[in-house]
Amino acid sequence: MNAKKFLLLPFVFLLLPFSATAQTENLKVVVNSNQDGAVNPDDALTLREAIEIVNGTLPLDRLSRAEQSLVSSNVGTTLIAFNLPPTDTTIRLVDVLPPLARPGLIVDGTTQPGYDAEETATVEIAIPIPVVTITPAASQEVFRGLTVVADGVTIRGLSLYGFTSRHRATATLPPADIFIDNPQSAAIRGAANGQKLTENREGKPSPISNSPKNVVIENNWLGIPPDQSVPQQTSAFGVFVFNSLGTTIQRNRIANHDGSGIITSVQAENLQVTENIIVGNGIAGMPDAIRLEGMIDKTQVSANLICGNDGSGVFLFKPQGAAQINNNRIVYNGRRLRRAAVYLMGNDHQVIENQIGHQTGPGVVVASYPKSDRNIIQSNRFFNLVGLSIDLIAQQNTGVQDYQRGDGPNPPRNSPNRRLDTANSAINAPQFISREFFVVGNKTNLYGTADPGSQVTIYRVEENTETPYGALREPLTTVTADDRGKFSLTLDINNLVPGDRVSAIATNPKYGTSEPATNALISSIVGGKQPQTTNNPEPSTIPECTTAPDPPVVQVPPEEPPPEPIRIQVPTNVHFALDKATISPESARVLDRIAEVLQANPPIVIELRGHTDPRASDAYNLDLSNRRAIAVRNYLLRQGIAPERMTIRALGESQPRVTGRNRLDYARNRRVEFIFKDARGLELFVQEEDLQLE
């Protein structure tokens, strides 16, 4: 018998009466050890032991006296609190933790001494900096951080990162920082026995009575260490709501995930996603910040900052039920894939009062597969888009680009059949009677047509010199088309001035919201050069998702006049080995120099263009060039370059630097090029110090 356990036997006997009731009463369990491993009676209580205690699988009579002193009765609910050594508050897991199976359990990182609820790293949404961190131990692959299988569980005030499943099938064991599912699910039981999930996720979900209800995830940093660095090992997903009802995800920072920051699967009805900062996700897999599929009825996505993610800000894929997306700031997304900021499938969704801009695709795309109707898109502000503010897809346009980036303006509906084959039943975009209206006596009269009875919202738009469809930047007023489809209104000089451009959208609750009208110009009746409007609700010129609080003001002595500016030399390329997408030590040194320049010059944004030599198929080379661009981008992320400052473009073998066919020429073509969007003060040059010959 273990000597340590033998010595503890008298204490075990004395505590048997208490242990018999401990599993049914509310407990407070204090974690004071950052270690992980086998459950043993010793002087410290680990997180693994705390979870087993509250689950009722670790009786108190198996604990040492020191451990038992950390367990007490608690009023109202069961609580896991923390009192880790202040010198190291990181819990490094060697294996997956047991599921959180105690109803009403609170896992509360805010109880750790040193946690300051007033200290935040972001101005936009104040989310306190966590102290307690949970991450895999070095060289360990742990595919989940915390797994929730009970009603009313709350996870609060923690940093979780590094949870992935690179060497396992994600269909068997879906990885995430936080995973929520039915306790009888194969995704839960598979953690123990490797059982594979059903391939048909659109089949019957688990019974609602078994789905965890009213789970709360709040004030956590997911994918982010407390020092805000990008981890060397990134997590697969942030919060994976596989099967749950009424989950609330609020005031979390969610970043640096290979896939989506928040994803649903089988069942996620009444999901509430509010006041989160969701930045820089999708860096190696599913690219969208929030991806909703399965049963999502009554889901609300509101008041979030969704910025700098690799795909869409919000992506709805064949959902059952309707979602509301409102009052979010959705900007600088589509860094790797040029998708719409918001992508909708299904019926009765609402996209209202969002700011949507700096997108490498359209604003809101509504797909017509299988059939999408009655989607209301109103009172949003769009800016700096590549595509329409609202794009309704026709069923015959089935390419990836059509569904992800839109198929462009639809023609007027000329047949009842169009109601069947186009999103939102092909509701017609309004049409102005003229491409130009004049200011007369400080007033402008606008006239046009739309579907009879529809609500027509007039927008001021930003000018787009490439197309006659500028982004719907500012809603001005709404009128109703009469029974003949005509509308008219008058706006004064406070709303429109010469040089402004206007557009309009139509909404009918029976069908949904239309695409935008062709722009119309507001002109002075005098003629001549038109003054440009100064109305600009988006003044920032520096790509920035979040800003840190202002530091304390420090009085410094006056500085001497700065020296004359010098031009900085910056390389514009790095190279790769044959058929590789890994960063060599030589290339890392080049990238470090580029990172220094980017850190010193916040206005600079870059496009990373991946290239290959010609010795493979077009499809293979396109994928390889994409992986190379991703590798460079992810390296720069870890050097502190914000994701919203970088976009990715894969060109394969289509744009060789040189056209020769020897080993040196091939090495020169295996590269990623940097396109600097503001290179003032920089002297750009092509370097070859990291060439990698075969």
Side-chain angles (χ1 to χ4, degrees):
M1 178 181 291
N2 182 286
K4 183 177 179 182
K5 292 183 178 180
F6 179 79
L7 292 173
L8 288 171
L9 284 176
F11 301 118
V12 170
F13 176 80
L14 291 174
L15 288 164
L16 278 175
F18 178 65
S19 66
T21 61
Q23 296 179 10
T24 58
E25 68 177 320
N26 290 323
L27 301 177
K28 177 181 179 181
V29 184
V30 179
V31 175
N32 70 344
S33 171
N34 58 16
Q35 301 301 304
D36 189 39
V39 174
N40 288 307
D42 50 29
D43 293 335
L45 196 67
T46 67
L47 178 58
R48 185 177 301 276
E49 291 170 330
I51 294 173
E52 291 201 22
I53 290 169
V54 300
N55 285 350
T57 56
L58 177 59
L60 297 184
D61 56 17
R62 290 180 54 193
L63 304 180
S64 70
R65 171 174 279 185
E67 290 173 318
Q68 291 170 2
S69 70
L70 299 170
V71 182
S72 60
S73 297
N74 197 50
V75 177
T77 189
T78 294
L79 172 68
I80 294 180
F82 295 86
N83 187 17
L84 299 173
T87 56
D88 191 353
T89 57
T90 298
I91 298 172
R92 298 173 177 85
L93 302 182
V94 299
D95 202 354
V96 178
L97 291 167
L100 305 178
R102 177 65 182 253
L105 171 65
I106 300 175
V107 181
D108 196 348
T110 71
T111 56
Q112 171 68 30
Y115 183 90
D116 185 351
E118 302 300 321
E119 185 180 7
T120 179
T122 52
V123 169
E124 290 76 8
I125 301 174
I127 302 171
I129 300 171
V131 178
V132 176
T133 298
I134 304 174
T135 191
S139 303
Q140 295 290 321
E141 181 180 279
V142 180
F143 64 94
R144 286 186 202 148
L146 295 173
T147 303
V148 180
V149 298
D151 295 348
V153 172
T154 296
I155 298 172
R156 176 189 300 144
L158 300 172
S159 165
L160 295 99
Y161 68 89
F163 297 100
T164 191
S165 186
R166 304 187 197 284
H167 301 102
R168 312 177 193 221
T170 57
T172 304
L173 303 170
D177 293 327
I178 298 175
F179 187 83
I180 309 171
D181 195 9
N182 184 315
Q184 281 77 46
S185 166
I188 300 299
R189 291 182 284 111
N193 59 28
Q195 182 175 351
K196 187 175 177 60
L197 294 176
T198 175
E199 296 294 333
N200 180 17
R201 293 188 181 180
E202 297 179 30
K204 293 183 179 180
S206 301
I208 289 178
S209 60
N210 293 332
S211 300
K213 302 175 183 64
N214 304 321
V215 175
V216 177
I217 311 298
E218 63 182 8
N219 288 323
N220 301 286
W221 285 21
L222 304 181
I224 319 171
D227 65 4
Q228 303 188 71
S229 63
V230 178
Q232 288 300 314
Q233 177 171 291
T234 50
S235 294
F237 297 101
V239 182
F240 202 138
V241 185
F242 199 85
N243 196 338
S244 179
L245 298 173
T247 293
T248 297
I249 303 171
Q250 61 187 8
R251 294 190 303 278
N252 301 280
R253 285 188 74 181
I254 305 175
N256 309 323
H257 293 92
D258 294 345
S260 299
I262 297 173
I263 182 171
T264 67
S265 183
V266 175
Q267 190 164 250
E269 292 179 282
N270 200 24
L271 172 68
Q272 308 295 305
V273 179
T274 182
E275 293 188 288
N276 300 282
I277 299 177
I278 307 172
V279 173
N281 297 284
I283 59 178
M286 194 172 289
D288 310 303
I290 300 175
R291 183 180 176 96
L292 302 177
E293 58 179 289
M295 299 176 66
I296 64 159
D297 199 35
K298 299 180 182 178
T299 285
Q300 293 193 29
V301 178
S302 61
N304 301 282
L305 172 59
I306 303 172
C307 179
N309 300 282
D310 270 19
S312 295
V314 184
F315 192 98
L316 276 63
F317 183 73
K318 298 183 181 180
Q320 300 175 52
Q324 294 184 8
I325 302 166
N326 55 73
N327 288 296
N328 301 282
R329 181 168 171 80
I330 306 174
V331 293
Y332 293 110
N333 296 293
R335 300 292 88 190
R336 174 164 60 94
L337 298 177
R338 285 156 172 75
R339 291 186 170 181
V342 177
Y343 178 84
L344 305 179
M345 281 186 174
N347 305 317
D348 301 304
H349 306 302
Q350 295 185 8
V351 182
I352 297 174
E353 294 187 349
N354 301 279
Q355 297 182 51
I356 299 174
H358 299 297
Q359 183 73 22
T360 58
V364 179
V365 161
V366 185
S368 56
Y369 178 85
K371 188 72 172 75
S372 300
D373 281 329
R374 301 180 301 279
N375 295 288
I376 306 300
I377 306 162
Q378 290 182 316
S379 302
N380 301 284
R381 294 173 180 261
F382 299 90
F383 44 91
N384 296 347
L385 304 175
V386 180
L388 298 178
S389 298
I390 303 170
D391 199 336
L392 308 180
I393 308 301
Q395 285 184 355
Q396 65 267 24
N397 298 324
T398 58
V400 173
Q401 177 169 319
D402 298 321
Y403 273 80
Q404 295 179 352
R405 299 181 58 187
D407 60 359
N410 293 327
R413 189 180 64 255
N414 56 7
S415 165
N417 291 332
R418 288 280 312 283
R419 293 283 193 198
L420 305 177
D421 69 3
T422 302
N424 280 358
S425 294
I427 180 172
N428 277 322
Q431 292 183 314
F432 293 115
I433 65 169
S434 173
R435 294 288 299 275
E436 186 175 20
F437 295 94
F438 294 93
V439 177
V440 180
N442 292 332
K443 295 183 181 298
T444 303
N445 297 317
L446 303 178
Y447 304 91
T449 60
D451 282 1
S454 61
Q455 297 290 311
V456 179
T457 302
I458 307 299
Y459 272 81
R460 179 185 283 111
V461 303
E462 66 180 20
E463 182 178 4
N464 188 331
T465 58
E466 296 181 0
T467 74
Y469 297 91
L472 303 174
R473 194 174 192 107
E474 180 186 5
L476 299 176
T477 189
T478 298
V479 297
T480 302
D482 63 23
D483 56 6
R484 296 176 298 170
K486 294 183 178 182
F487 67 87
S488 63
L489 67 153
T490 300
L491 295 173
D492 61 28
I493 198 70
N494 294 321
N495 296 114
L496 289 176
V497 299
D500 281 345
R501 284 172 170 78
V502 294
S503 181
I505 55 175
T507 298
N508 185 320
K510 183 177 180 180
Y511 304 119
T513 300
S514 74
E515 294 182 341
T518 304
N519 295 349
L521 175 66
I522 305 303
S523 297
S524 169
I525 199 168
V526 177
K529 184 177 180 179
Q530 303 296 333
Q532 295 298 312
T533 178
T534 58
N535 187 289
N536 186 358
E538 185 66 18
S540 176
T541 58
I542 298 177
E544 195 170 50
C545 284
T546 61
T547 52
D550 293 332
V553 177
V554 178
Q555 298 294 330
V556 296
E559 297 182 356
E560 297 181 1
E564 289 294 321
I566 60 174
R567 294 184 65 82
I568 303 172
Q569 288 193 329
V570 186
T572 61
N573 62 317
V574 291
H575 297 93
F576 291 84
L578 175 65
D579 200 29
K580 300 295 182 184
T582 53
I583 306 298
S584 70
E586 295 78 13
S587 295
R589 288 192 287 270
V590 175
L591 291 174
D592 289 342
R593 288 153 57 190
I594 295 173
E596 289 178 4
V597 171
L598 293 174
Q599 290 165 346
N601 297 271
I604 295 177
V605 297
I606 56 174
E607 182 175 86
L608 306 174
R609 297 182 177 178
H611 301 269
T612 68
D613 68 35
R615 294 175 295 173
S617 69
D618 291 346
Y620 184 87
N621 281 338
L622 194 65
D623 176 71
L624 178 59
S625 65
N626 185 58
R627 288 188 280 121
R628 287 172 173 169
I630 291 172
V632 170
R633 191 277 306 273
N634 291 353
Y635 185 93
L636 293 175
L637 283 175
R638 291 186 171 89
Q639 305 309 307
I641 308 305
E644 61 269 25
R645 298 177 63 188
M646 299 180 282
T647 56
I648 287 174
R649 189 175 179 188
L651 296 172
E653 62 186 83
S654 64
Q655 295 186 14
R657 180 184 155 206
V658 293
T659 58
R661 297 251 174 199
N662 58 43
R663 292 169 58 236
L664 179 59
D665 294 328
Y666 289 150
R668 285 172 169 161
N669 287 330
R670 297 192 296 267
R671 71 202 190 279
V672 167
E673 292 181 330
F674 292 78
I675 307 301
F676 291 82
K677 299 302 177 69
D678 184 351
R680 289 172 291 182
L682 304 181
E683 184 176 325
L684 307 176
F685 68 95
V686 176
Q687 62 82 30
E688 294 190 347
E689 61 191 69
D690 65 339
L691 273 178
Q692 300 180 60
L693 298 177
E694 301 163 35

